[in-house]
Amino acid sequence: MIFGRRGNQADRDAAIALVREAAAAGRITALDRDHRIMELQHAASDADIEVHLRDLRHPAAPGSAAGPVAGPAVWTTPTAPGPTSGVASGLTASPVTPPQGTARPPGMTPPRGSGSYGSRGGFPPVVPRRQQAAPRRGLLVGCLVGFAVLMVVPMVATVFLVAVTGSDQDSGTSAEVIEPVPDIVDNHTRAGYQRLVSALRSQTERTDVFSIVIHPEYASLDVPVDETSARYRTWSWNGTMRQTSSASTTTQERVDLADVEPKVLMRLLARAARGVDDPTTRYLIIRGADISGPATVMAYATNEFNESHHVRATLTGEILD
């Protein structure tokens, strides 16, 4: 089965070129370069290609400046059509001052600062006492309601907690809160490595491989297809173990990952990291024995200046070089 968009030869060539550039820059070793190129030559989908390029891509350039920000909305007041002396429907009329000495029309309030309607002197509008007292009564009622809520809510909560606690004690059980554990992949820890091996066993009913490249967040495994031949299929792990479309043969012997002690791997990673200043990339390669030598573990560390250091050891941690 092929996961993701089907890759083409142009995609594979571009990916291989990126791997070669990384090797030329010293970010990966020649051995890792050859392993990735071999895998990319058989990659059949973009997902198979991406699994070998994740740690080689440069961070994206900062985004372009944001577009212009819209200014505040401007509200306009509609202007009524027709003569200015009239008042259009739905608009607010301007104050109109009648001639001096005329009687005040019903419902019209004289302008502030005037005496009798149309004369000098001025008088304030008369507000009934009932209307003056209404806001004060509303404020008093609001304060009383707020005080009652503050007093009643804690009492109700206390009674509820006492009832629940008493129920648990009577039944002989206690409430237990189980918090969800985030699904975080870190293969460079003891628990993370053991989780990887367990997932391989669950999916393939075996724990032996011809080789494996282990990054902190993902891994690529060459898993035998049977008990005797040199054929293998490549599997990827990033929290989920899945089979890719890559398949080939090898001259290497098998390595049982269940027999490799995680503490040996962690110790080799730490030793490789000490060989460079502020390492930013670390990974492991476990290979089965072949004509060039015994089964080995190689630990690599690289920093942002492409300075790298590696350690090669046996599966038991004995340093070879």
Side-chain angles (χ1 to χ4, degrees):
M1 180 181 297
I2 297 176
F3 295 83
R5 181 180 65 85
R6 182 178 294 276
N8 53 41
Q9 189 58 43
D11 296 333
R12 289 189 286 270
D13 292 342
I16 290 174
L18 181 59
V19 171
R20 294 186 188 278
E21 291 176 4
R27 297 175 61 196
I28 60 175
T29 64
L31 182 61
D32 191 15
R33 176 200 61 196
D34 296 341
H35 176 81
R36 297 187 192 216
I37 290 176
M38 181 182 67
E39 297 296 337
L40 289 170
Q41 288 173 343
H42 296 87
S45 70
D46 56 355
D48 298 336
I49 294 174
E50 181 63 19
V51 75
H52 299 290
L53 301 182
R54 290 177 183 168
D55 61 321
L56 302 183
R57 297 195 186 282
H58 295 288
S64 59
V69 179
V74 178
W75 294 84
T76 59
T77 304
T79 303
T84 56
S85 59
V87 179
S89 174
L91 299 179
T92 303
S94 300
V96 177
T97 304
Q100 184 173 1
T102 58
R104 182 176 63 181
M108 178 173 287
T109 302
R112 183 178 298 274
S114 64
S116 61
Y117 192 79
S119 63
R120 300 179 180 273
F123 57 86
V126 178
V127 179
R129 290 186 178 180
R130 182 175 300 176
Q131 295 182 10
Q132 295 177 2
R136 289 195 292 260
R137 286 201 301 269
L139 179 61
L140 178 60
V141 171
C143 292
L144 292 176
V145 171
F147 180 76
V149 170
L150 292 176
M151 293 296 294
V152 171
V153 170
M155 294 175 60
V156 172
T158 302
V159 172
F160 176 76
L161 291 176
V162 170
V164 172
T165 305
S167 176
D168 289 340
Q169 292 176 351
D170 293 340
S171 60
T173 60
S174 59
E176 180 180 0
V177 178
I178 301 177
E179 297 182 356
V181 178
D183 188 15
I184 300 176
V185 176
D186 187 356
N187 300 320
H188 289 177
T189 64
R190 180 183 183 87
Y193 178 80
Q194 291 174 339
R195 180 183 174 192
L196 185 157
V197 176
S198 177
L200 177 63
R201 181 187 293 111
S202 175
Q203 290 293 323
T204 66
E205 297 184 354
R206 64 190 319 130
T207 56
D208 56 334
V209 299
F210 289 116
S211 66
I212 180 173
V213 180
I214 309 175
H215 291 266
E217 298 178 353
Y218 70 95
S220 177
L221 308 85
D222 293 339
V223 182
V225 299
D226 54 34
E227 301 298 331
T228 57
S229 73
R231 299 175 180 176
Y232 68 85
R233 292 189 181 277
T234 300
W235 289 68
S236 67
W237 162 255
N238 61 353
T240 301
M241 186 70 67
R242 66 179 183 87
Q243 179 179 297
T244 70
S245 58
S246 178
S248 187
T249 59
T250 182
T251 59
Q252 295 172 339
E253 297 180 7
R254 306 171 186 222
V255 176
D256 192 340
L257 298 182
D259 293 337
V260 180
E261 283 291 335
K263 63 181 180 182
V264 172
L265 305 179
M266 306 306 107
R267 186 165 61 247
L268 293 175
L269 278 172
R271 181 164 182 156
R274 288 195 295 269
V276 293
D277 295 329
D278 301 323
T280 57
T281 302
R282 294 186 294 177
Y283 62 96
L284 294 159
I285 298 179
I286 303 176
R287 296 165 50 92
D290 56 17
I291 58 175
S292 64
T296 56
V297 179
M298 288 164 285
Y300 296 85
T302 307
N303 62 17
E304 61 178 329
F305 302 102
N306 291 328
E307 299 169 338
S308 62
H309 182 70
H310 78 276
V311 177
R312 190 168 71 98
T314 64
L315 298 182
T316 58
E318 180 182 353
I319 304 299
L320 299 176
D321 55 35

